[in-house]
Amino acid sequence: MKEIKFFLILMFLGLNIYAQKIDKIEPPYWWVDMNHNQLEIMIYGKDIAKYKPTIANETIQLVEVKNTENDNYLFLTVDLSKATVGNFTIDFARAGKRNNFSYNYELKQRKENSKNRKGFDSSDVIYLITPDRFANADTSNDVVKGLRETKVNRKDDYGRHGGDLKGITNHLNYINEMGFTAIWPTPVLTNDMKNSSYHGYAMTDLYEVDPRFGTLEDYITLSKKANEKGIKLIMDQVENHIGGEHWWMKDLPSSNWVNYQKEYVEGNTVITNHRRTINQDSYASKADSKLMNEGWFVSSMPDLNQKNPLLAKYLIQNSIWWIETLDLGGIRQDTYPYPDKEFMSNWAGAIMAEYPNFSIVGEEWSTNPLLVAYWQKDAENKDGYRSNLTSSMDFPMQKAIVDGLNEDETWGTGLVKIYEGLANDFSYADPENIMIFPDNHDMSRIYTQLGEDASKTKMALGYLLTLPRISQIYYGTEVLISDAAKPGDHGLIRTDFPGGWKGDKVNAFTGEGLSKNQAEMQSFLKNVLNYRKNSEAIHNGKTIHFGPEKGVYVLFRIKNDEIVTVILNKNQKEINLDLTRFIEIGLNGKKVKNINTSEEFTWNNSLKLNDKGIYILTTKL
């Protein structure tokens, strides 16, 4: 009897030893009833390619097994079109060896109606958050042993400050009461880099939440709690590059997994030329095109080769896995023009095939509306390119708003820049699904861009929030966070949200310690956001605007009986605005209300404008 027990113990230990031959299996699980039912499973382990995998399951078919030059990787394609919920076994056998082993792979049930999930649209205002700088709810994970960056220092603009996922979850009431309908945290996957790891854009594991932000369960809880309040969760993803400390880089799967891989192995790094116009340029040289799309973004971020079919499928599945796991309401895709553009079309197309009502916004940092328009689906591009991307980011309009408010009023400068900027909407296939914003995590705060002028800041925010657009606001804008001390400094731009840390003297969540200007801005934005939340005219109404005259620019949004009037006034002295010019709008004799002051009056022939600033009026009383 003792001998039998001893034998069973040895056998159990042996199975565990052999099971450790698999160090990684990705994706770690999948779902049944998916449109994407030809699943590629990447298996990583010492000499795993020397084993023959088999699947003895009537509902699962092993379609293909692919090896690469690296024996530590296997890629299995399995047909799940007839699969049922539960585990299936992958058996691994090696000729002439006794150390065969098995792996149980899990198939889950999808959330009901997952396919029809709704993404973000022009009814939404997105709150962009840098999690490390928003709120620290769990100090126990500030420093995690085994990771390369081992300190938390709030005085270091480029160090970790300790904010986490629970910090966002704990303040969802604040976000909801302010009037935001979606949140976009910058990446929270493991970013095990030696420094500046807080920002998250140099990911070192695409299937793991960085433990300094919390756990996968914390991420899922954030999504669940947000959805309960009607707030969508948008995930920030990066298809273009990874971090230099990604586990792949220690043992690359193939000879062409990253671009300019040979040069990297030899100790050289080839950096992109950042000439994004190459994607549309019919005169572009092959040399420039290759450097743009294959050069590394920076030396610490290896550029992924999406032309490798195994990697391409890996990346598409990774995005779908996160959508399903987190119950996402959208994706924001970083550095959109840098990867292989045919892959990006396939990537977005695969996601939209799985989720037809989903939303993806891509970052094209260009002030040329033609370049931004090129990337949106249904664009009539001369080269025939179809992106499948629902939205791109409105950097052109952002610049027009800042220039228009900062410049003196002349025939060709000032508010006319905003007027003409909006007139560029003719270039977009679907302007209502372009994303407008005053600033973001990579550019100076809007309060700084506008010379720390609170009145101009209100004008910028109020105007963009009433445009036919999806809107995005960066955390702390509501309390006038500024980087004026070092304009453009990323660490300062991403400064801590007041009240997010125990002991903060100023608490923007409660209003404690805010200056008069900060409190007024927070109140102003809250009023506009909460009006916008229920305004059909702003969500999808008709837009009419009138050319600026005498330092005043007027725009209308109209839907049925709701008319929203937006007046930008740059005059320092009191003026009377002639309202007869706007007779075609049909407001004459109607009562209107200022959504911020609640003042009501009848629209007649003129309107006295007492102060420089923005006036947002509505016929909804």
Side-chain angles (χ1 to χ4, degrees):
M1 189 66 181
K2 289 182 179 179
E3 288 79 1
I4 294 173
K5 287 183 178 180
F6 182 69
F7 173 76
L8 290 173
I9 291 170
L10 282 179
M11 187 172 70
F12 175 77
L13 290 173
L15 285 173
N16 278 287
I17 291 168
Y18 301 137
Q20 289 172 12
K21 289 186 177 296
I22 295 180
D23 296 312
K24 295 271 188 181
I25 186 160
E26 296 177 341
Y29 51 82
W30 202 249
W31 297 264
V32 299
D33 301 324
M34 297 284 285
N35 183 69
H36 188 96
N37 55 35
Q38 301 296 300
L39 182 67
E40 174 189 281
I41 303 175
M42 186 188 77
I43 303 169
Y44 175 66
K46 179 66 174 173
D47 290 331
I48 191 67
K50 295 179 180 178
Y51 287 79
K52 180 182 179 181
T54 56
I55 298 174
N57 188 305
E58 293 181 358
T59 65
I60 311 289
Q61 181 184 357
L62 179 56
V63 177
E64 189 175 26
V65 179
K66 283 196 173 181
N67 300 351
T68 66
E69 307 94 306
N70 189 338
D71 280 347
N72 295 334
Y73 289 86
L74 266 182
F75 292 84
L76 313 185
T77 300
V78 293
D79 183 345
L80 303 178
S81 58
K82 298 178 181 178
T84 57
V85 173
N87 293 342
F88 68 88
T89 301
I90 307 173
D91 295 311
F92 294 86
R94 187 173 178 181
K97 298 289 182 180
R98 296 175 60 188
N99 55 349
N100 300 333
F101 63 97
S102 301
Y103 185 92
N104 287 328
Y105 193 89
E106 183 181 8
L107 295 177
K108 295 176 178 282
Q109 181 63 58
R110 297 180 77 181
K111 179 184 175 183
E112 186 178 358
N113 208 32
S114 175
K115 181 180 180 66
N116 297 317
R117 68 181 61 244
K118 191 174 183 296
F120 52 83
D121 58 27
S122 56
S123 69
D124 287 303
V125 181
I126 299 162
Y127 196 48
L128 167 59
I129 299 169
T130 301
D132 182 65
R133 307 299 171 84
F134 187 64
N136 187 358
D138 184 358
T139 57
S140 69
N141 63 17
D142 287 358
V143 176
V144 176
K145 289 183 179 180
L147 297 181
R148 288 174 175 82
E149 196 163 10
T150 58
K151 292 186 292 186
V152 167
N153 182 3
R154 291 182 69 194
K155 294 181 179 179
D156 180 358
D157 287 344
Y158 288 85
R160 296 196 79 95
H161 291 193
D164 45 44
L165 288 165
K166 286 182 179 178
I168 302 173
T169 304
N170 287 357
H171 292 100
L172 285 171
N173 281 342
Y174 169 81
I175 294 168
N176 183 50
E177 288 166 6
M178 279 296 298
F180 295 103
T181 61
I183 51 174
W184 154 21
T186 54
V188 297
L189 301 189
T190 297
N191 195 87
D192 190 16
M193 302 294 283
K194 294 176 182 177
N195 48 59
S196 298
S197 66
Y198 74 94
H199 62 72
Y201 288 97
M203 300 174 202
T204 56
D205 193 315
L206 298 181
Y207 278 99
E208 181 181 80
V209 174
D210 194 306
R212 291 164 294 192
F213 288 131
T215 64
L216 177 59
E217 288 70 27
D218 292 331
Y219 209 174
I220 293 171
T221 297
L222 170 60
S223 179
K224 182 181 177 182
K225 296 291 186 183
N227 285 333
E228 287 172 359
K229 295 182 180 297
I231 297 173
K232 299 163 186 171
L233 175 63
I234 298 168
M235 186 178 186
D236 203 334
Q237 297 187 351
V238 187
E239 302 303 297
N240 181 63
H241 55 261
I242 52 175
E245 299 293 342
H246 191 289
W247 63 270
W248 282 334
M249 301 307 293
K250 308 298 183 290
D251 192 16
L252 283 159
S254 69
S255 60
N256 64 346
W257 199 254
V258 300
N259 288 315
Y260 288 104
Q261 186 165 317
K262 181 175 180 290
E263 289 79 359
Y264 161 74
V265 172
E266 293 173 351
N268 301 315
T269 303
V270 179
I271 304 299
T272 179
N273 53 23
H274 296 283
R275 301 297 183 188
R276 296 186 302 278
T277 54
I278 281 168
N279 287 295
Q280 298 86 1
D281 185 359
S282 56
Y283 309 128
S285 66
K286 291 180 180 178
D288 284 350
S289 298
K290 179 178 174 62
L291 191 57
M292 164 60 201
N293 294 122
E294 297 182 17
W296 292 22
F297 195 75
V298 294
S299 60
S300 61
M301 296 180 179
D303 197 77
L304 295 172
N305 175 24
Q306 300 89 10
K307 291 180 181 178
N308 180 313
L310 296 174
L311 176 57
K313 196 161 188 179
Y314 177 99
L315 294 172
I316 289 170
Q317 290 180 171
N318 180 257
S319 293
I320 293 173
W321 189 88
W322 282 111
I323 294 170
E324 203 72 28
T325 295
L326 294 176
D327 196 16
L328 291 178
I331 289 173
R332 181 264 183 182
Q333 183 58 235
D334 187 59
T335 54
Y336 205 85
Y338 285 83
D340 177 73
K341 71 179 187 179
E342 296 304 328
F343 163 77
M344 293 309 294
S345 174
N346 294 336
W347 171 82
I351 291 171
M352 297 310 296
E354 193 72 62
Y355 310 99
N357 303 314
F358 198 63
S359 301
I360 311 169
V361 60
E363 178 197 32
E364 162 58 280
W365 194 326
S366 172
T367 56
N368 182 343
L370 297 179
L371 298 183
V372 174
Y374 178 88
W375 296 107
Q376 192 179 27
K377 74 171 186 175
D378 299 326
E380 294 295 332
N381 295 318
K382 282 190 175 182
D383 62 2
Y385 182 72
R386 300 288 180 182
S387 74
N388 295 308
L389 182 71
T390 61
S391 179
S392 44
M393 305 182 84
D394 201 352
F395 284 92
M397 196 66 208
Q398 191 277 337
K399 184 178 188 300
I401 292 170
V402 172
D403 289 348
L405 293 175
N406 279 336
E407 292 174 352
D408 293 334
E409 289 300 303
T410 70
W411 173 254
T413 62
L415 292 172
V416 70
K417 291 286 185 68
I418 302 176
Y419 172 73
E420 292 181 349
L422 189 59
N424 282 327
D425 273 14
F426 74 90
S427 63
Y428 297 125
D430 185 9
E432 287 189 358
N433 274 317
I434 300 291
M435 184 178 290
I436 185 60
F437 52 94
D439 54 23
N440 62 27
H441 57 296
D442 287 325
M443 64 196 317
S444 271
R445 291 282 185 161
I446 187 62
Y447 187 50
T448 303
Q449 293 184 55
L450 295 173
E452 297 195 320
D453 184 317
S455 178
K456 286 183 182 178
T457 304
K458 288 178 183 176
M459 292 167 78
L461 295 174
Y463 176 72
L464 71 86
L465 286 168
T466 52
L467 289 178
R469 292 289 192 278
I470 302 160
S471 299
Q472 169 250 296
I473 303 292
Y474 194 28
Y475 80 97
T477 297
E478 67 269 35
V479 290
L480 300 174
I481 284 181
S482 175
D483 59 299
K486 291 173 68 177
D489 181 84
H490 281 197
L492 190 57
I493 289 166
R494 305 159 185 174
T495 199
D496 293 349
F497 189 85
W501 279 255
K502 187 177 180 180
D504 283 359
K505 294 180 180 179
V506 177
N507 190 333
F509 294 118
T510 64
E512 183 181 356
L514 292 178
S515 69
K516 180 182 177 182
N517 271 352
Q518 287 178 312
E520 286 181 356
M521 180 60 70
Q522 192 178 49
S523 176
F524 167 82
L525 193 56
K526 186 175 183 178
N527 284 337
V528 176
L529 288 170
N530 279 286
Y531 179 84
R532 189 192 193 283
K533 188 183 286 189
N534 299 298
S535 172
E536 288 297 320
I538 295 176
H539 294 173
N540 49 42
K542 181 179 180 181
T543 304
I544 299 176
H545 66 161
F546 291 74
E549 285 187 359
K550 300 177 182 178
V552 179
Y553 168 47
V554 184
L555 173 141
F556 298 91
R557 301 298 310 281
I558 306 164
K559 182 72 178 286
N560 300 326
D561 294 332
E562 182 190 9
I563 301 175
V564 176
T565 305
V566 184
I567 303 170
L568 300 183
N569 173 33
K570 289 178 71 176
N571 293 282
Q572 299 287 350
K573 296 181 180 179
E574 177 186 294
I575 66 162
N576 281 308
L577 178 65
D578 180 9
L579 300 184
T580 61
R581 182 185 178 206
F582 314 115
I583 192 166
E584 67 186 82
I585 304 301
L587 274 171
N588 201 45
K590 292 185 177 180
K591 279 199 169 185
V592 296
K593 180 176 73 173
N594 186 313
I595 69 169
N596 276 293
T597 65
S598 296
E599 176 190 0
E600 296 183 13
F601 62 93
T602 301
W603 185 283
N604 286 314
N605 294 328
S606 67
L607 174 64
K608 184 183 291 185
L609 303 179
N610 297 313
D611 303 299
K612 180 185 84 169
I614 186 168
Y615 301 77
I616 304 177
L617 314 174
T618 177
T619 53
K620 285 173 66 175
L621 304 179

